[in-house]
Amino acid sequence: MRFSSRTGWLRTPNPLAALLNSRREKGIQIFDLTLSNPTRANFRYLDPKLLKPFFDTQNLVYDPDPHGLLQARQALCDFYGKKGIRISPEEIFLTASTSEAYGFVFRLLLDPHETVLAPQPSYPLLDYLAGLNDIRIVRYPLHHLTHVRKDRVQHGGWYLELEELESRREPAPRAVLLVHPNNPTGNYVAEKERAKINEIVLRDKMTVLCDEVFFDFVLDKKIQRPRSFAGQREVLTFTLSGISKILGLPQMKIAWILVSGPEKEKEEAIQKLEVIADTYLSAGTPSQRALRAWFDMWSTIHGEISNRLKDNLAYLTEKFKAAVNVRLLMPEGGWYVMLEVPPIRTDEEWSLLLLEKDDVLIHPGYLFDAEEENLLVLSLLPDPVRFQESIDRLIRRFQETMDVPQV
């Protein structure tokens, strides 16, 4: 049997996955610092009342629209309107997930083998989505302040080197992909970066594709309040988000594409997306009809998740103040934090050691395409009790390791 080359992934478990499977088979309790599923993180908002909208008899009626049900899109307009962002229902397309939304936009914008620019480090799913849609990703690097000249003034820890973004134009890219804030570095697109990106996009006849699934989770009070790309009119822009993060409800399968930009380009994009979306009609009726009721709970859900993230980050920060040769690369927003650890081991070796000796699962940075080999990535989402125990184990392991003379 011959399968498509786009499915030629390496399917052998990597050493970390193999060790994790082995330890779980032995019944060993794992302290998981990779947790990204909010339904497994002991949140109180996961209450049966979330299911009440499903008992509406209108859920038994199928009335498809390529944009999604109007009442759901109006709920989204109201949600963004409370943030001062004006969008119309005609600019919205509902999908089952942001992954599917990526696929729709990739199919709209790029022919096979054409290029989109994307950040590095970033979420590994992007590479799979690119491969499944027969396109190429060219990376533009994000840097941390410690890696630049001392006379350089930047807005935060991680930043985009605009000169490097401009230099990555061969072959000619069709879009600039932004993650706002980025996963796992946690940096938002600063206003001066945004202005320059729009300038480059306009000059080179590209588009902006912005993933804002973590947008509402600001962790750093010192930064200027981030501005969404939703409703941006300067250049053709596709803003993606969904309730898996905004409402902590990944199982309910609702996401969206917001189309904005110059009127002529925007209208053509909407007409073409209507055909793509009408081909799939993937967003379920019950979840679409429940969307307004769920958004009415946004402040409660967002507050609980946001407080968890901030509390865990505060514990992490306090614990690592005195840590030897281990440094937090502080995020501005999102659910993740990166650790810069001693280069006496690679990131994978550190992850294997922590899992084997301390039963702590943590991501090696290479999974996020990090260039440095001494970066680890951890989630701020776990239950505080388990999170604190995990961090205490990390601290002890780093301390013990640094106390042992290296041969």
Side-chain angles (χ1 to χ4, degrees), residues 211-274:
D211 182 333
E212 294 191 349
V213 294
F214 292 112
F215 180 78
D216 290 324
F217 297 100
V218 180
L219 298 174
D220 187 348
K221 297 179 180 179
K222 300 188 294 296
I223 65 168
Q224 180 181 353
R225 184 169 182 80
R227 185 159 64 102
S228 172
F229 279 76
Q232 172 172 270
R233 306 297 171 185
E234 294 91 336
V235 298
L236 184 61
T237 302
F238 301 89
T239 306
L240 311 185
S241 191
I243 66 172
S244 69
K245 304 301 188 296
I246 285 180
L247 290 169
L249 297 173
Q251 75 280 31
M252 300 307 184
K253 308 308 294 179
I254 290 289
W256 51 86
I257 305 167
L258 306 180
V259 188
S260 59
E263 197 64 26
K264 182 179 179 181
E265 294 179 355
K266 182 188 75 172
E267 288 305 315
E268 184 174 3
I270 287 174
Q271 290 171 15
K272 291 178 180 292
L273 270 176
E274 285 175 347

Side-chain angles (χ1 to χ4, degrees), residues 386-402:
R386 295 188 64 79
F387 181 84
Q388 292 176 18
E389 175 62 26
S390 302
I391 299 307
D392 292 347
R393 292 180 178 218
L394 284 184
I395 293 287
R396 287 195 297 269
R397 177 56 53 191
F398 289 136
Q399 188 63 54
E400 289 175 11
T401 302
M402 295 310 298

Side-chain angles (χ1 to χ4, degrees), residues 68-85:
L69 295 181
L70 179 59
Q71 69 181 68
R73 289 182 281 132
Q74 288 174 331
L76 268 175
C77 291
D78 293 343
F79 175 71
Y80 279 93
K82 291 176 182 178
K83 303 178 184 181
I85 301 170

Side-chain angles (χ1 to χ4, degrees), residues 289-305:
R289 289 190 175 278
L291 199 54
R292 184 172 293 280
W294 291 339
F295 273 130
D296 287 343
M297 301 172 64
W298 177 83
S299 60
T300 297
I301 296 173
H302 175 266
E304 187 178 358
I305 296 175

Side-chain angles (χ1 to χ4, degrees), residues 45 71 76 121 167 186 209 227 291 349 380 405:
Y45 72 81
Q71 69 181 68
L76 268 175
S167 69
L209 172 55
R227 185 159 64 102
L291 199 54
E349 289 169 345
L380 295 171

Side-chain angles (χ1 to χ4, degrees), residues 40-53:
R40 300 291 187 184
N42 296 327
F43 284 116
R44 294 186 305 276
Y45 72 81
L46 292 164
D47 187 276
K49 64 184 177 183
L50 287 164
L51 304 177
K52 184 178 179 180

Side-chain angles (χ1 to χ4, degrees), residues 162-170:
L162 293 164
E163 292 82 358
E164 293 187 56
L165 177 62
E166 283 196 272
S167 69
R168 283 162 166 74
R169 291 187 289 170
E170 294 294 340

Side-chain angles (χ1 to χ4, degrees), residues 132-162:
L132 288 171
N133 286 279
D134 303 316
I135 67 169
R136 294 180 58 239
I137 283 183
V138 173
R139 299 287 183 175
Y140 60 85
L142 302 176
H143 299 290
H144 197 267
L145 270 180
T146 55
H147 301 150
V148 298
R149 302 190 310 267
K150 292 182 179 180
D151 62 344
R152 191 71 176 265
V153 178
Q154 296 290 343
H155 68 283
W158 292 91
Y159 72 98
L160 164 60
E161 182 62 78
L162 293 164

